[in-house]
Short mmCIF file of all heavy atoms in Angstrom, two decimals:
data_model
loop_
_atom_site.label_atom_id
_atom_site.label_comp_id
_atom_site.label_asym_id
_atom_site.label_seq_id
_atom_site.Cartn_x
_atom_site.Cartn_y
_atom_site.Cartn_z
N ASP A 255 -5.46 -18.38 -14.86
CA ASP A 255 -6.70 -18.15 -13.95
C ASP A 255 -6.19 -17.88 -12.59
O ASP A 255 -6.80 -18.42 -11.63
CB ASP A 255 -7.60 -19.42 -14.00
CG ASP A 255 -8.93 -19.00 -13.50
OD1 ASP A 255 -9.35 -17.93 -13.61
OD2 ASP A 255 -9.58 -19.99 -12.84
N GLN A 256 -5.21 -16.95 -12.52
CA GLN A 256 -4.58 -16.62 -11.19
C GLN A 256 -4.96 -15.18 -10.82
O GLN A 256 -4.75 -14.23 -11.62
CB GLN A 256 -3.12 -16.71 -11.20
CG GLN A 256 -2.32 -16.04 -10.29
CD GLN A 256 -2.53 -16.53 -8.83
OE1 GLN A 256 -2.83 -17.65 -8.51
NE2 GLN A 256 -2.35 -15.69 -7.80
N PRO A 257 -5.48 -14.95 -9.58
CA PRO A 257 -5.77 -13.55 -9.19
C PRO A 257 -4.53 -12.61 -9.10
O PRO A 257 -3.48 -13.15 -8.65
CB PRO A 257 -6.31 -13.71 -7.66
CG PRO A 257 -6.76 -15.15 -7.64
CD PRO A 257 -5.83 -15.91 -8.50
N ILE A 258 -4.80 -11.45 -9.48
CA ILE A 258 -3.62 -10.42 -9.34
C ILE A 258 -4.12 -9.11 -8.85
O ILE A 258 -5.32 -8.82 -9.10
CB ILE A 258 -2.84 -10.22 -10.62
CG1 ILE A 258 -3.72 -9.79 -11.79
CG2 ILE A 258 -2.00 -11.41 -10.98
CD1 ILE A 258 -2.94 -9.33 -13.00
N MET A 259 -3.22 -8.35 -8.35
CA MET A 259 -3.46 -7.03 -7.78
C MET A 259 -2.54 -6.08 -8.63
O MET A 259 -1.43 -6.27 -8.57
CB MET A 259 -3.22 -6.88 -6.34
CG MET A 259 -2.99 -5.37 -5.81
SD MET A 259 -4.45 -4.37 -5.97
CE MET A 259 -5.65 -5.03 -4.71
N ILE A 260 -3.15 -5.08 -9.39
CA ILE A 260 -2.35 -4.09 -10.05
C ILE A 260 -2.07 -2.99 -9.12
O ILE A 260 -2.98 -2.28 -8.64
CB ILE A 260 -2.95 -3.62 -11.35
CG1 ILE A 260 -3.43 -4.66 -12.25
CG2 ILE A 260 -2.03 -2.51 -12.05
CD1 ILE A 260 -2.21 -5.53 -12.83
N PHE A 261 -0.81 -2.85 -8.67
CA PHE A 261 -0.43 -1.81 -7.75
C PHE A 261 -0.47 -0.41 -8.41
O PHE A 261 -0.19 -0.26 -9.65
CB PHE A 261 1.08 -2.06 -7.26
CG PHE A 261 1.11 -2.86 -5.92
CD1 PHE A 261 2.29 -3.22 -5.36
CD2 PHE A 261 -0.13 -3.10 -5.11
CE1 PHE A 261 2.40 -4.01 -4.22
CE2 PHE A 261 0.02 -3.81 -3.94
CZ PHE A 261 1.25 -4.19 -3.45
N HIS A 262 -0.49 0.60 -7.61
CA HIS A 262 -0.32 2.04 -7.98
C HIS A 262 -0.78 2.40 -9.36
O HIS A 262 0.13 2.94 -10.09
CB HIS A 262 1.11 2.48 -7.67
CG HIS A 262 2.20 1.59 -7.99
ND1 HIS A 262 2.31 1.03 -9.27
CD2 HIS A 262 3.31 1.16 -7.28
CE1 HIS A 262 3.45 0.31 -9.35
NE2 HIS A 262 4.02 0.48 -8.19
N VAL A 263 -2.07 2.17 -9.72
CA VAL A 263 -2.57 2.69 -10.94
C VAL A 263 -2.58 4.25 -11.05
O VAL A 263 -3.00 4.92 -10.09
CB VAL A 263 -3.94 2.14 -11.13
CG1 VAL A 263 -4.57 2.66 -12.48
CG2 VAL A 263 -3.94 0.58 -11.08
N SER A 264 -1.91 4.78 -12.08
CA SER A 264 -1.77 6.21 -12.08
C SER A 264 -2.54 6.96 -13.26
O SER A 264 -2.83 8.18 -13.22
CB SER A 264 -0.31 6.59 -12.33
OG SER A 264 0.16 6.21 -13.58
N THR A 265 -2.91 6.09 -14.35
CA THR A 265 -3.56 6.77 -15.48
C THR A 265 -5.00 6.39 -15.68
O THR A 265 -5.46 5.29 -15.33
CB THR A 265 -2.89 6.36 -16.81
OG1 THR A 265 -2.83 5.01 -16.92
CG2 THR A 265 -1.41 6.85 -16.69
N ALA A 266 -5.75 7.30 -16.29
CA ALA A 266 -7.13 6.94 -16.72
C ALA A 266 -7.18 5.62 -17.57
O ALA A 266 -8.01 4.73 -17.38
CB ALA A 266 -7.78 8.08 -17.42
N GLU A 267 -6.31 5.58 -18.55
CA GLU A 267 -6.17 4.41 -19.40
C GLU A 267 -5.90 3.12 -18.78
O GLU A 267 -6.44 2.04 -19.08
CB GLU A 267 -5.24 4.62 -20.55
CG GLU A 267 -5.32 5.90 -21.37
CD GLU A 267 -4.48 7.00 -20.77
OE1 GLU A 267 -4.82 7.53 -19.64
OE2 GLU A 267 -3.49 7.40 -21.42
N GLY A 268 -4.95 3.32 -17.78
CA GLY A 268 -4.65 1.96 -17.02
C GLY A 268 -5.77 1.43 -16.20
O GLY A 268 -6.18 0.26 -16.21
N ALA A 269 -6.56 2.44 -15.53
CA ALA A 269 -7.70 2.03 -14.84
C ALA A 269 -8.74 1.38 -15.75
O ALA A 269 -9.50 0.43 -15.44
CB ALA A 269 -8.35 3.29 -14.12
N ALA A 270 -8.80 1.93 -17.02
CA ALA A 270 -9.76 1.45 -17.99
C ALA A 270 -9.44 -0.07 -18.48
O ALA A 270 -10.40 -0.85 -18.52
CB ALA A 270 -9.83 2.40 -19.23
N VAL A 271 -8.22 -0.34 -18.51
CA VAL A 271 -7.83 -1.67 -18.76
C VAL A 271 -8.36 -2.70 -17.67
O VAL A 271 -8.84 -3.68 -18.00
CB VAL A 271 -6.30 -1.81 -18.97
CG1 VAL A 271 -5.84 -3.33 -19.16
CG2 VAL A 271 -5.72 -1.02 -19.98
N ILE A 272 -8.17 -2.24 -16.45
CA ILE A 272 -8.67 -3.10 -15.38
C ILE A 272 -10.21 -3.20 -15.39
O ILE A 272 -10.75 -4.24 -15.19
CB ILE A 272 -8.20 -2.50 -13.96
CG1 ILE A 272 -6.67 -2.49 -13.89
CG2 ILE A 272 -8.75 -3.18 -12.74
CD1 ILE A 272 -5.98 -1.77 -12.75
N HIS A 273 -10.78 -2.10 -15.75
CA HIS A 273 -12.34 -2.00 -15.70
C HIS A 273 -12.78 -3.06 -16.73
O HIS A 273 -13.75 -3.93 -16.43
CB HIS A 273 -12.72 -0.60 -16.17
CG HIS A 273 -14.11 -0.35 -16.01
ND1 HIS A 273 -14.82 -0.13 -14.93
CD2 HIS A 273 -15.16 -0.29 -17.04
CE1 HIS A 273 -16.13 0.00 -15.07
NE2 HIS A 273 -16.32 -0.03 -16.33
N ARG A 274 -12.20 -3.07 -17.93
CA ARG A 274 -12.65 -3.95 -18.96
C ARG A 274 -12.45 -5.33 -18.55
O ARG A 274 -13.13 -6.22 -18.72
CB ARG A 274 -11.90 -3.57 -20.24
CG ARG A 274 -12.51 -4.32 -21.52
CD ARG A 274 -12.00 -3.64 -22.75
NE ARG A 274 -10.59 -3.69 -22.90
CZ ARG A 274 -9.80 -2.58 -22.96
NH1 ARG A 274 -10.35 -1.39 -22.96
NH2 ARG A 274 -8.47 -2.64 -23.14
N ALA A 275 -11.22 -5.72 -18.04
CA ALA A 275 -10.81 -6.99 -17.57
C ALA A 275 -11.76 -7.51 -16.57
O ALA A 275 -12.15 -8.68 -16.68
CB ALA A 275 -9.32 -7.03 -17.13
N ARG A 276 -12.07 -6.67 -15.62
CA ARG A 276 -13.03 -7.12 -14.64
C ARG A 276 -14.40 -7.44 -15.25
O ARG A 276 -15.09 -8.44 -14.82
CB ARG A 276 -13.21 -6.09 -13.42
CG ARG A 276 -11.96 -6.07 -12.56
CD ARG A 276 -11.95 -4.99 -11.51
NE ARG A 276 -13.11 -5.04 -10.62
CZ ARG A 276 -13.17 -5.86 -9.50
NH1 ARG A 276 -12.05 -6.51 -9.17
NH2 ARG A 276 -14.18 -5.85 -8.77
N GLY A 277 -14.73 -6.62 -16.20
CA GLY A 277 -16.05 -6.86 -16.90
C GLY A 277 -16.10 -8.18 -17.58
O GLY A 277 -17.10 -8.81 -17.86
N GLU A 278 -14.83 -8.57 -18.05
CA GLU A 278 -14.73 -9.88 -18.71
C GLU A 278 -14.55 -11.06 -17.72
O GLU A 278 -14.20 -12.20 -18.13
CB GLU A 278 -13.52 -9.84 -19.69
CG GLU A 278 -13.68 -8.99 -20.83
CD GLU A 278 -12.46 -8.65 -21.63
OE1 GLU A 278 -11.36 -9.14 -21.16
OE2 GLU A 278 -12.49 -7.85 -22.59
N GLY A 279 -14.58 -10.69 -16.44
CA GLY A 279 -14.59 -11.77 -15.43
C GLY A 279 -13.21 -12.12 -14.94
O GLY A 279 -12.98 -13.14 -14.27
N ARG A 280 -12.27 -11.34 -15.36
CA ARG A 280 -10.84 -11.73 -14.93
C ARG A 280 -10.74 -11.35 -13.47
O ARG A 280 -11.34 -10.52 -12.85
CB ARG A 280 -9.79 -10.84 -15.56
CG ARG A 280 -9.86 -10.78 -17.09
CD ARG A 280 -9.26 -12.23 -17.63
NE ARG A 280 -9.40 -12.18 -19.09
CZ ARG A 280 -10.02 -13.14 -19.74
NH1 ARG A 280 -10.64 -14.19 -19.10
NH2 ARG A 280 -10.07 -13.17 -21.04
N LYS A 281 -9.83 -12.10 -12.71
CA LYS A 281 -9.63 -12.05 -11.29
C LYS A 281 -8.54 -10.94 -11.05
O LYS A 281 -7.56 -11.24 -10.73
CB LYS A 281 -9.28 -13.35 -10.68
CG LYS A 281 -10.46 -14.41 -10.78
CD LYS A 281 -9.95 -15.79 -10.43
CE LYS A 281 -11.16 -16.64 -10.65
NZ LYS A 281 -10.72 -17.97 -11.00
N VAL A 282 -8.97 -9.73 -11.39
CA VAL A 282 -7.96 -8.63 -11.21
C VAL A 282 -8.45 -7.60 -10.26
O VAL A 282 -9.68 -7.19 -10.38
CB VAL A 282 -7.53 -8.09 -12.57
CG1 VAL A 282 -8.67 -7.66 -13.38
CG2 VAL A 282 -6.58 -6.95 -12.41
N TRP A 283 -7.62 -7.14 -9.35
CA TRP A 283 -8.00 -6.12 -8.40
C TRP A 283 -7.05 -4.91 -8.76
O TRP A 283 -6.03 -5.11 -9.41
CB TRP A 283 -7.79 -6.61 -6.97
CG TRP A 283 -8.91 -7.43 -6.56
CD1 TRP A 283 -9.96 -7.04 -5.77
CD2 TRP A 283 -9.08 -8.81 -6.82
NE1 TRP A 283 -10.79 -8.16 -5.58
CE2 TRP A 283 -10.38 -9.16 -6.17
CE3 TRP A 283 -8.41 -9.80 -7.53
CZ2 TRP A 283 -10.80 -10.46 -6.22
CZ3 TRP A 283 -8.90 -11.09 -7.56
CH2 TRP A 283 -10.08 -11.44 -6.94
N GLY A 284 -7.37 -3.70 -8.27
CA GLY A 284 -6.53 -2.61 -8.59
C GLY A 284 -6.40 -1.61 -7.36
O GLY A 284 -7.39 -1.45 -6.50
N GLU A 285 -5.32 -1.05 -7.24
CA GLU A 285 -5.00 -0.09 -6.16
C GLU A 285 -4.49 1.22 -6.81
O GLU A 285 -3.81 1.25 -7.80
CB GLU A 285 -3.81 -0.66 -5.34
CG GLU A 285 -3.09 0.30 -4.40
CD GLU A 285 -1.61 -0.10 -4.13
OE1 GLU A 285 -0.69 0.33 -4.92
OE2 GLU A 285 -1.43 -0.80 -3.16
N THR A 286 -4.90 2.35 -6.22
CA THR A 286 -4.18 3.65 -6.47
C THR A 286 -3.73 4.22 -5.19
O THR A 286 -3.85 3.54 -4.11
CB THR A 286 -5.03 4.60 -7.29
OG1 THR A 286 -4.30 5.62 -7.72
CG2 THR A 286 -6.29 5.17 -6.50
N CYS A 287 -3.02 5.33 -5.18
CA CYS A 287 -2.45 5.77 -4.02
C CYS A 287 -2.85 7.20 -3.82
O CYS A 287 -3.11 7.93 -4.72
CB CYS A 287 -0.86 5.78 -4.13
SG CYS A 287 -0.32 4.10 -4.62
N THR A 288 -2.54 7.65 -2.57
CA THR A 288 -2.92 9.13 -2.24
C THR A 288 -2.38 10.06 -3.20
O THR A 288 -3.15 11.05 -3.64
CB THR A 288 -2.28 9.52 -0.83
OG1 THR A 288 -2.34 8.22 0.04
CG2 THR A 288 -2.95 10.64 -0.16
#
Side-chain angles (χ1 to χ4, degrees):
D255 195 30
Q256 159 64 30
I258 55 167
M259 161 63 74
I260 305 295
F261 265 173
H262 45 47
V263 177
S264 70
T265 61
E267 305 91 292
V271 177
I272 297 172
H273 188 77
R274 193 164 58 241
R276 286 174 63 85
E278 290 167 357
R280 305 286 178 237
K281 293 169 186 151
V282 54
W283 283 261
E285 164 207 90
T286 190
C287 310
T288 324

